[in-house]
Amino acid sequence: MSRCLLLVLLLACLPLGAQELAFTNRATELKADLDSSSATVAPLPSGTPLSVVGRISGWVRVTTNDKKAGWVRSFHLRFQNSVAESEGGGSIFGGIFSTARRAPTQRTATVGIRGLSEEEMKNAKPNPAEYAKYKAYASSKADAAAFARNAKLNAVQVSYVDSRGRPVSGGSR
Amino acid sequence: MKTLLSICAAALLAGCAGMPNVPGVPGVPGLPVPRSSSAAPSLNIQQVTQVAQAAQTAFKEFSEPEEIEIGHGIAQSLLGAAPLLRNDRIQRYVNQVGRWVASQSERPDLPWQFGVLDNENVNAFAAPGGAIFITNGLLKKLRSESELAGVLGHEITHVVQKHHLNALKSGALGDIAKIAGQAVAENKLGKSGIGQVANATGLTAMGADLIKEGLFVKPLDRGLEEEADRMGVILAARAGYDPYGLVGVLQTLQGQAADDQFMALLFKTHPSPTTRIENLERISDTLDRYQKQDQGRERFAAAMGIRLPPAPPTNRPATPAKPAAKSTAPATKP
């Protein structure tokens, strides 16, 4: 595939967002379906770079560098900042992304961020008019239940679990 | 408390008898020095007592109505810093999803309110009493209703578990408690001040002060953030959502540049996305049990007025057919 055509395709893809990249964070397997018991398409060593096609629940559909497609458990992936990755891996991405993403910025909460920087919060004045609008948008319990009914969302009984996944009784401490 | 008063009393007596000051005084160790005490040689016993009592009183067990008023004060200030996104449809949708998830918690009858802030920062906030906010910057990064439910479930858990209130009470948020104690001493909370957390106006004012003193720029204890993740995904599951939604959001955040300026405040106040994902992996068996629950992609796209890429092709058996969501709004960008 010519470089020009690839560039055109990349540009065409842009409105949907930059290509997501991920690496396996352990030795794992590319599966044919979003099910551990489905066929294995290929083994994936730790650190394998993958292009993300999409996700469903705990599974991510990916393609490998050698064009194999399949599913990987999302916990077996580490998502990588695409700019950093592309600067390492190839220059075709460089220059396409907005400069806002490429320009190194100081890791600080105060630099030029309107409204929610530390500085701006410290100077925040109460806004009762805005608060009244906020309050007016609230949904009642009944409204929310009606929304759920329409959406065919069914409430389920599920116990909270502790950090190891053991069920615990719920509620405030 | 009694020890403190007796130290103060000893100092006072020492002063009266003309003896040298008790060692360690003025400024009783460990106590904030009252503002109005200056270079006066004798300790103003009344002021010291006031501040001591105030600091203790400020974060006594708040009743639910008091908690709600404080939360409203915090909300008013936050909205002073960043206004609401001007989109009725999105605001109502986020409230419906949020209230539905909150209804699955142990505090379903709080006056839960949800707002989208018109701000490019990526963040969400929870104030005591159920006033929740998500920035448009974060909302735009979400891809399904189950992801939204995950984020809101996390924030709702902060309120259900009274994380911020307890942190203020225990002094874990440091200076803020001291300042609030001063607010009491300055009679902001009612006429006589001491021991009285009287009127709603005062509580609202205190909430507003908490924002100014940096309530949301200080991190909570990491364990509390982990608890909010761990309980938040359960709330999402209870509401009928695929609980992997929050995992998806965290992986999106993981893929952002570490020095992205719009993520700075989020990264400052939370454990890293990688750590949070690892902690959720420990409960993956639980998450898997509910992974076939709804993601609500189409409803999300319709409400946001966006086009989402279709779900990737799969051989998984189709979920029970749902009627197409009735949307009066065409799926165009807002």
Side-chain angles (χ1 to χ4, degrees):
Chain A
M1 197 177 270
S2 77
R3 198 177 154 113
C4 278
L5 184 55
L6 188 55
L7 188 55
V8 167
L9 285 175
L10 280 167
L11 289 167
C13 286
L14 276 178
L16 290 181
Q19 180 66 55
E20 264 191 301
L21 296 161
F23 291 82
T24 51
N25 59 23
R26 67 198 76 182
T28 182
E29 293 175 332
L30 188 65
K31 301 302 264 183
D33 211 340
L34 42 165
D35 187 339
S36 308
S37 61
S38 67
T40 299
V41 174
L44 299 174
S46 181
T48 306
L50 300 162
S51 291
V52 175
V53 174
R55 70 164 60 232
I56 292 182
S57 184
W59 291 85
V60 183
R61 185 157 174 91
V62 297
T63 54
T64 63
N65 284 350
D66 57 352
K67 312 253 192 302
K68 297 203 185 82
W71 296 86
V72 181
R73 282 283 273 156
S74 55
F75 282 128
H76 295 185
L77 294 175
R78 183 187 80 247
F79 282 69
Q80 177 73 33
N81 173 253
S82 51
V83 174
E85 155 60 11
S86 66
E87 278 169 5
S91 58
I92 203 170
F93 286 79
I96 293 178
F97 295 111
S98 74
T99 51
R101 283 193 83 182
R102 291 184 68 222
T105 54
Q106 258 187 301
R107 187 180 171 163
T108 166
T110 60
V111 176
I113 306 165
R114 292 192 55 78
L116 291 179
S117 67
E118 291 191 51
E119 283 309 305
E120 260 138 338
M121 291 229 243
K122 280 176 184 163
N123 295 320
K125 291 181 172 45
N127 190 334
E130 203 68 8
Y131 177 78
K133 287 190 194 136
Y134 168 62
K135 195 169 168 177
Y137 284 129
S139 181
S140 69
K141 209 163 137 187
D143 286 349
F147 165 81
R149 263 196 309 278
N150 286 338
K152 300 272 191 277
L153 286 163
N154 296 313
V156 184
Q157 300 268 37
V158 186
S159 294
Y160 292 124
V161 295
D162 65 14
S163 59
R164 292 213 189 87
R166 294 170 300 198
V168 295
S169 62
S172 302
R173 292 155 163 202
Chain B
M1 192 60 197
K2 281 193 172 145
T3 317
L4 179 62
L5 283 175
S6 57
I7 291 173
C8 296
L12 186 63
L13 286 172
C16 282
M19 286 165 62
N21 282 337
V22 173
V25 175
V28 179
L31 189 75
V33 177
R35 263 183 179 186
S36 42
S37 79
S38 55
S42 66
L43 198 60
N44 185 325
I45 178 67
Q46 203 176 12
Q47 284 168 328
V48 170
T49 314
Q50 266 192 3
V51 178
Q53 285 185 338
Q56 292 216 325
T57 306
F59 294 104
K60 68 174 179 60
E61 291 298 334
F62 280 111
S63 70
E64 194 165 280
E66 289 169 338
E67 177 190 345
I68 290 166
E69 282 307 322
I70 291 168
H72 290 173
I74 292 170
Q76 287 199 19
S77 254
L78 196 56
L79 288 164
L84 292 169
L85 180 74
R86 295 278 175 270
N87 188 314
D88 286 354
R89 187 185 70 237
I90 289 178
Q91 297 285 2
R92 278 198 280 268
Y93 170 71
V94 170
N95 270 277
Q96 287 171 320
V97 175
R99 187 67 199 254
W100 174 239
V101 175
S103 297
Q104 315 308 318
S105 77
E106 287 65 29
R107 304 182 80 190
D109 297 312
L110 281 177
W112 295 98
Q113 294 164 201
F114 301 84
V116 182
L117 299 176
D118 187 5
N119 192 276
E120 289 303 304
N121 276 274
V122 175
N123 216 338
F125 307 96
I132 311 275
F133 297 90
I134 179 173
T135 62
N136 195 32
L138 174 52
L139 189 63
K140 288 195 297 192
K141 292 197 185 297
L142 306 184
R143 296 155 299 191
S144 69
E145 195 168 291
S146 57
E147 290 199 350
L148 176 61
V151 171
L152 297 180
H154 172 105
E155 298 306 324
I156 288 164
T157 300
H158 279 318
V159 176
V160 172
Q161 296 298 89
K162 302 188 185 181
H163 285 163
H164 290 91
L165 267 190
N166 289 341
L168 287 164
K169 201 164 72 144
S170 71
L173 288 174
D175 294 352
I176 292 175
K178 218 158 60 171
I179 300 300
Q182 256 170 353
V184 178
E186 290 166 12
N187 298 327
K188 272 189 178 177
L189 296 188
K191 286 199 160 186
S192 61
I194 297 168
Q196 297 250 355
V197 183
N199 54 69
T201 316
L203 287 163
T204 308
M206 187 166 100
D209 278 351
L210 288 173
I211 281 286
K212 286 168 63 175
E213 299 307 328
L215 175 67
F216 288 138
V217 302
K218 295 189 197 314
L220 281 176
D221 182 81
R222 296 171 78 89
L224 301 184
E225 286 297 343
E226 285 167 26
E227 183 173 88
D229 282 344
R230 202 170 57 239
M231 291 175 66
V233 294
I234 300 296
L235 289 179
R238 288 181 184 177
Y241 292 108
D242 162 28
Y244 273 97
L246 181 59
V247 177
V249 180
L250 291 171
Q251 290 192 313
T252 298
L253 299 181
Q254 188 183 53
Q256 304 296 301
D259 60 358
D260 184 323
Q261 60 170 344
F262 296 117
M263 309 276 299
L265 195 56
L266 179 82
F267 286 153
K268 183 176 175 179
T269 53
H270 293 75
S272 73
T274 302
T275 301
R276 297 172 70 180
I277 293 163
E278 283 170 4
N279 286 324
L280 285 173
E281 186 174 358
R282 292 200 191 98
I283 64 167
S284 62
D285 286 349
T286 303
L287 301 179
D288 285 346
R289 216 168 287 142
Y290 303 96
Q291 65 176 318
K292 293 201 172 130
Q293 297 194 152
D294 197 5
Q295 287 161 59
R297 275 179 216 266
E298 295 81 10
R299 276 194 311 278
F300 183 81
M304 293 297 126
I306 58 174
R307 277 193 170 74
L308 282 173
T314 166
N315 296 327
R316 176 187 266 184
T319 43
K322 302 183 168 75
K326 265 192 184 168
S327 171
T328 50
T332 53
K333 287 200 194 280

